[in-house]
Amino acid sequence: GSILTNSVSILSDAIHDFGDSFSIGISYLLEKYSSKKSNNKYTYGYLRYSLLGALITCLILLIGSFVVLYRAIPRLLNPVVVNSTSMIIISIFGLIINGYAVYKTSHSTNLNEKSINLHMLEDVLGWLCVFLGSIIIKLTNFYIIDPILSIFIALYILFHAYSHIKEVFDIFMQKVPEDIDINKIKKNLEKKFDGIKDIHHIHVWTMDGEKNYLTAHILLNSKLS
C-alpha cells in the first residue's frame, strides 16, 4: 500500500503492523512455553519466557519507529505527491482489521498479552490518523501532512514502547513491584505472629508482572525452640 500510494505514513503503519505480526508469532510460542510446570532445573517455572516475548516485541517496535523517522524527516523539506484516494481505502481496511484485533486482545492479563494489545491499539490510532490525514490531503493537496503524520505515529510508538520496555526491564532486574511495601509486610508479619523476634533479608520480586514471590530470614523467639 505504501508503494502504491507513495505514502510514508502508510509505510510507518506497515512497518508497525509487520513488526506486530512477527512479534505476535514469537510471543505466542513463548507464551505457550511459559505455561510449563516447574522442575528441578527451573524451580520457579518458565514464566519469564513470556517476558522475553514482550521484550522482543518492544525492540521490534523501537527499530521500526527509527526507520520511519529516517524516511519521513527528509519529506518535511521536500513533500512528495501521494495518492490520497488509495490512502483512504487502505486506512479503512487497516481500521477494520486492527479494530477487531484490539477487541480480541482486550481481556489480556499478563505483560506479554498486554504488550500485544497495546500494539493493536496503537495500530488503530495510527490508521485513524492516516484516514483523517488522507481526507485532508484529498481536499487540500497539502502533501506535507503525510510525513507529519508518520513522524507523529513513530514518536507515539517510541514513547509507549520505551515505557513498556522499562517495565519489562524492571522485572528482569527483580525490582520490587510498585504496589508492594516491604516495610508494611514486615510490620504485618511481626504483628500477626507473636513468636517472631526479627525479620531481615526480605526479598520481593515478580516473575511476570502477576505472580510475586518473597523470601526472608525470620528469627524466632527462644520459647518456640
Side-chain angles (χ1 to χ4, degrees), residues 41-210:
K41 291 186 177 181
Y42 290 84
T43 56
Y44 285 106
Y46 294 76
L47 294 173
R48 289 256 166 109
Y49 278 93
S50 175
L51 279 180
L52 184 59
L55 181 62
I56 292 173
T57 303
C58 289
L59 289 176
I60 289 175
L61 284 178
L62 289 174
I63 294 172
S65 297
F66 283 116
V67 170
V68 170
L69 291 174
Y70 175 78
R71 292 290 303 275
I73 292 175
R75 290 199 180 190
L76 290 175
L77 301 177
N78 298 293
V80 298
V81 176
V82 296
N83 188 332
S84 56
T85 301
S86 297
M87 285 178 65
I88 293 173
I89 296 172
I90 294 171
S91 61
I92 291 174
F93 181 76
L95 280 170
I96 293 173
I97 297 299
N98 287 283
Y100 178 73
V102 168
Y103 171 75
K104 292 293 290 184
T105 59
S106 59
H107 305 295
S108 304
T109 55
N110 65 35
L111 275 178
N112 193 13
E113 294 171 349
K114 286 180 179 179
S115 175
I116 293 173
N117 180 256
L118 174 63
H119 300 332
M120 295 298 101
L121 181 59
E122 289 171 347
D123 286 345
V124 170
L125 295 175
W127 284 115
L128 180 61
C129 287
V130 173
F131 174 71
L132 296 175
S134 58
I135 292 177
I136 295 174
I137 291 173
K138 186 173 181 61
L139 296 175
T140 64
N141 290 329
F142 196 41
Y143 296 115
I144 198 173
I145 289 177
D146 183 57
I148 290 175
L149 278 175
S150 64
I151 292 172
F152 171 77
I153 294 169
L155 292 176
Y156 179 83
I157 295 169
L158 280 173
F159 174 77
H160 286 280
Y162 169 77
S163 61
H164 199 65
I165 206 171
K166 182 179 181 301
E167 185 179 3
V168 174
F169 181 77
D170 286 342
I171 294 176
F172 272 121
M173 295 303 295
Q174 297 184 312
K175 182 181 177 181
V176 176
E178 296 293 340
D179 59 339
I180 292 179
D181 186 337
I182 289 181
N183 292 325
K184 187 175 181 180
I185 291 175
K186 180 179 178 181
K187 290 178 181 178
N188 287 340
L189 287 173
E190 291 173 340
K191 183 178 180 181
K192 185 174 182 179
F193 301 101
D194 296 332
I196 295 178
K197 183 177 181 180
D198 182 47
I199 302 176
H200 53 276
H201 288 306
I202 301 176
H203 301 282
V204 181
W205 70 99
T206 181
M207 291 297 295
D208 60 350
E210 292 183 275

